Amino acid sequence: MDNVVLARSLFGSSMAFHIIFATLGVGIPFMIVIAEILYQIKKDKDYATLAKRWTKGLAILLGVAIPSGTLVGVMLSLLWPGFMEIVGQVIALPFQIEIWAFFLEALFMSIYVYAADRLPPTVRILSVIFVAIGSSMSAVLITDAHAWMNTPSGFRMENGRVSDVHPWAAVFNPSLPTTATHVLLSAYMTGAFAVASVAAFKLLRRQSSERERLYHQKSLFLSLLVGGIISLLTALSGHETAQMLHVHQPEKLAAAEGLFETKAYAPLAIGGVTDKETRSIKGAIEIPWALSFLAGNRFDTVVKGLNDFPEEDWPPLIIHTLFDLMVGIGMLLLAVSAFTVALRLIFKRPYPRWLLYSLLLAGPLSMVGIETGWVFSCTGRQPWTIYHIQTTASAATRAQHLGSLFVLFIGLYAFLLVVTAVVMFYYFKRHPVNLDMPDGRNAEGRSL
């Protein structure tokens, strides 16, 4: 492998590992806020118990998220010196502000963990809200740099040199609102479905008492209700993302849909394989006119095809499959959550075991959706690191022995995943839910 491929592999695997913990670090605080608010409204101590136990799990995850994020930052500097030379002059501001967001999250996390039971209700809720704000701010600020890579602004390149820098114009680049909204909603959705998978697993255990089952039913219902609502909002945000790509990265949208010829009334291709040789998409189900509507809210919107761009600037055509996976997983999770909530609210039916087994996959599937979405976004920008400004090849390091580093870090990430799973398993095994639950009088006999 050449250095560019090795650098992308090492950085990509590091991001793929970190994004698991970073996403849960944004999504779970959101769920904790909702549980805390419900506790104060309903005075049902089960929701306080949910918030308490989710916080313990979050603390374990943050123990890996923080160092893995630091590793990603170091790799960014070491593997992409050409990129950092421009970043340092133009878009360093979000990285600096992100330190304060992390400080906010850590400070109020400490207050909430160690003093929640001694705080007045309003202060208790505010403390966990600030935890969620801090984690969400961190996600937005890091996403800002990624959005800027897709729609660079706030500077000019003259003879290979950066000039006329406007840092705030770079921060508020054209794709920031759409990209940040989609990232946040995806993280909240993933946090909800991760909680749902755990609750489904607990409900499948036959040795659980009725009191514990009632507790886990509340967890499952709440997480699926939140996950379903956020899934719908994520889908709407995805529509806005397609419109942003239509304006700012048309070749990425064309590759995502395997569209080669520029046309109005363009169809939306679902499934199939993009064939570069014949410049067509094979085996896809096409929805007439849908891509044009997705891109411009009109069926006669003209969508540019890949033939309008130099072939060397085409993104890898595999992104069509990544796009299908991302969207398909989102639609599936939306349908499953809607069905499960309706089963409980409208039909007053208990959760059948086959449905609980299906819900075990909700958390892992949402994480796969996050991973494919991130890979789609970054791969779809290739061959550019900074869109139409700097190629990936010119940004990469020329240092040697990246292959050895790649093997070492893959081993490290595998080790950390196993250790995190083992610590999580044994901690909650030694601290079962019945030790944290109230005597049950506040929730006894109460249905969802």
Side-chain angles (χ1 to χ4, degrees), residues 39 43-50 202-203 205-219 344 432-448:
Y39 166 56
K43 303 304 179 185
D44 183 341
K45 291 185 179 179
D46 278 353
Y47 291 108
T49 304
L50 284 172
K202 294 293 185 180
L203 286 170
R205 298 179 64 188
R206 297 185 184 276
Q207 63 267 38
S208 299
S209 67
E210 284 301 313
R211 182 67 188 84
E212 291 175 357
R213 291 183 66 81
L214 177 61
Y215 167 85
H216 292 305
Q217 284 173 1
K218 292 176 184 178
S219 176
R344 193 68 175 170
V433 66
N434 59 353
L435 297 181
D436 287 326
M437 288 172 62
D439 59 12
R441 286 178 295 181
N442 282 343
E444 195 73 39
R446 206 179 272 181
S447 62
L448 294 173

Side-chain angles (χ1 to χ4, degrees), residues 359-403:
L359 291 172
L360 287 176
L361 299 175
L365 275 178
S366 63
M367 192 57 66
V368 172
I370 288 286
E371 295 281 9
T372 54
W374 170 74
V375 176
F376 164 77
S377 184
C378 292
T379 303
R381 190 178 57 246
Q382 297 303 312
W384 307 99
T385 293
I386 304 174
Y387 184 62
H388 285 180
I389 297 291
Q390 184 185 57
T391 64
T392 303
S394 63
T397 181
R398 291 173 174 76
Q400 302 301 309
H401 308 298
L402 293 184

